[in-house]
Amino acid sequence: MYCGRELAKGEKCTCPQSVMRRGGSAQNSSETGKSGASNNQNTQNTQYTQNQGTSYKTGYAGKDSPFERARDRYKAKRAARGAKPHGRVWRDILSSLASPVEAVTNPPNFGKAAMLIIAAVMGAFLWLGAYFVLRGGGVGPFKLAAAMMGFGGGYPLIAEIGLTILSGAVAGVIMFFLYTGIFCFIGRFVVRVRIPYWQFCVRLVTAWLPFTAICIIGALLSLLSPLTLAALILCGAAVTAALTYVALKTEWYSVPPSKTLLSMLLGYFLFLSIMLRLILTIH
């Protein structure tokens, strides 16, 4: 447990800590360690002498055929792929939703594709919720089913919902790069803390997960009144702001909390100013 060396059968550990726990002295442990090392060396030499007649065979150095070597490579690659936890991303997302503050403090290892997908899903359902709020209420399952079957001229409604989801997904990716880019820029040139960009993005995307879940729930429960749905989205935005402060405080641990808060306010001012300008320009 101290040095990590595997002990032979009946051999005792000669580390000073182990000897002291057994009631010995460090000097005895040093002498015992030298003796143990000498015995270990002799054992290795004996095993090497005994194994002189054998040869280590691999797929490249042995007499395996090309077919056998290709089969071994295929099995190794398949084993490596099987060792990867396919449901790990979902488990990380669920654990982040269950303990958002702890997840932001110690974020999961999201890849670039996973972060972009989370941003796209967040944007799609945020746009869908805003569409229901501006429309004056949700569509409802029966009206949506009737529209999908073409009753009452429902195809334009389906097209509007589809375009809203698509544009929201694109907007979510744009928001991701804008949001993370602004705070990364502030971190490097205002706070003076250099962190690799994609490593910096993990905490901020983890802070988006509760808001994404709230947007999904609000869009699915579109039977709620527009005011209730808008209040739900605003609560999600407040949670995102709080978790963003936790993420920045953890990343910029050497910076006073007041400076972190002011830097976060500066980042939000820039982000919201640019987003409002883009929305007004589109409309």
Side-chain angles (χ1 to χ4, degrees):
M1 62 180 292
Y2 298 106
C3 63
R5 185 175 65 86
E6 185 178 356
L7 299 177
K9 185 176 181 180
E11 182 184 1
K12 292 184 178 180
C13 180
T14 58
C15 293
Q17 301 92 329
S18 178
V19 175
M20 293 295 291
R21 290 187 62 181
R22 293 200 301 267
S25 62
Q27 183 177 0
N28 293 336
S29 69
S30 177
E31 295 175 357
T32 308
K34 293 179 181 178
S35 176
S38 178
N39 294 335
N40 189 27
Q41 183 65 31
N42 292 335
T43 303
Q44 292 178 355
N45 292 337
T46 303
Q47 292 176 352
Y48 177 76
T49 303
Q50 293 175 353
N51 294 333
Q52 284 295 318
T54 62
S55 61
Y56 183 73
K57 182 179 180 181
T58 65
Y60 296 98
K63 297 180 180 179
D64 293 340
S65 65
F67 172 76
E68 292 174 335
R69 291 198 295 270
R71 181 197 60 190
D72 293 339
R73 286 196 299 268
Y74 171 75
K75 289 183 178 180
K77 291 180 180 179
R78 187 176 61 180
R81 288 195 300 267
K84 296 181 181 178
H86 298 288
R88 181 177 178 179
V89 175
W90 290 109
R91 290 196 299 269
D92 290 339
I93 291 175
L94 293 178
S95 62
S96 299
L97 294 176
S99 303
V101 177
E102 290 78 3
V104 172
T105 305
N106 187 19
N109 188 20
F110 288 136
K112 299 177 183 179
M115 290 189 284
L116 293 177
I117 291 174
I118 292 172
V121 172
M122 185 275 298
F125 283 95
L126 174 60
W127 253 238
L128 187 61
Y131 170 77
F132 289 149
V133 171
L134 297 175
R135 190 176 181 273
V139 176
F142 294 104
K143 188 173 182 179
L144 184 61
M148 293 179 66
M149 290 186 291
F151 294 116
Y155 289 127
L157 177 61
I158 299 298
E160 285 183 5
I161 294 177
L163 290 176
T164 300
I165 294 175
L166 180 60
S167 61
V170 176
V173 176
I174 295 175
M175 290 169 61
F176 166 80
F177 286 108
L178 184 62
Y179 194 80
T180 56
I182 287 175
F183 283 111
C184 186
F185 178 84
I186 293 175
R188 289 196 176 188
F189 297 100
V190 177
V191 184
R192 301 290 184 178
V193 177
R194 290 188 171 273
I195 302 171
Y197 173 71
W198 288 105
Q199 179 182 343
F200 182 78
C201 293
V202 175
R203 294 186 193 274
L204 296 181
V205 170
T206 306
W208 280 11
L209 287 176
F211 184 46
T212 304
I214 289 174
C215 291
I216 294 174
I217 294 172
L220 294 179
L221 299 178
S222 57
L223 295 177
L224 299 174
S225 66
L227 293 179
T228 304
L229 185 57
L232 188 64
I233 294 175
L234 291 176
C235 289
V239 172
T240 303
L243 292 178
T244 298
Y245 172 74
V246 175
L248 295 178
K249 187 178 68 172
T250 307
E251 288 286 0
W252 303 336
Y253 59 90
S254 59
V255 178
S258 298
K259 188 174 182 180
T260 301
L261 179 62
L262 294 176
S263 300
M264 188 190 77
L265 292 177
L266 175 61
Y268 263 91
F269 171 74
L270 296 174
F271 174 73
L272 294 176
S273 298
I274 296 174
M275 286 301 301
L276 291 174
R277 175 60 62 182
L278 289 175
I279 294 173
L280 293 177
T281 302
I282 293 174
H283 287 284

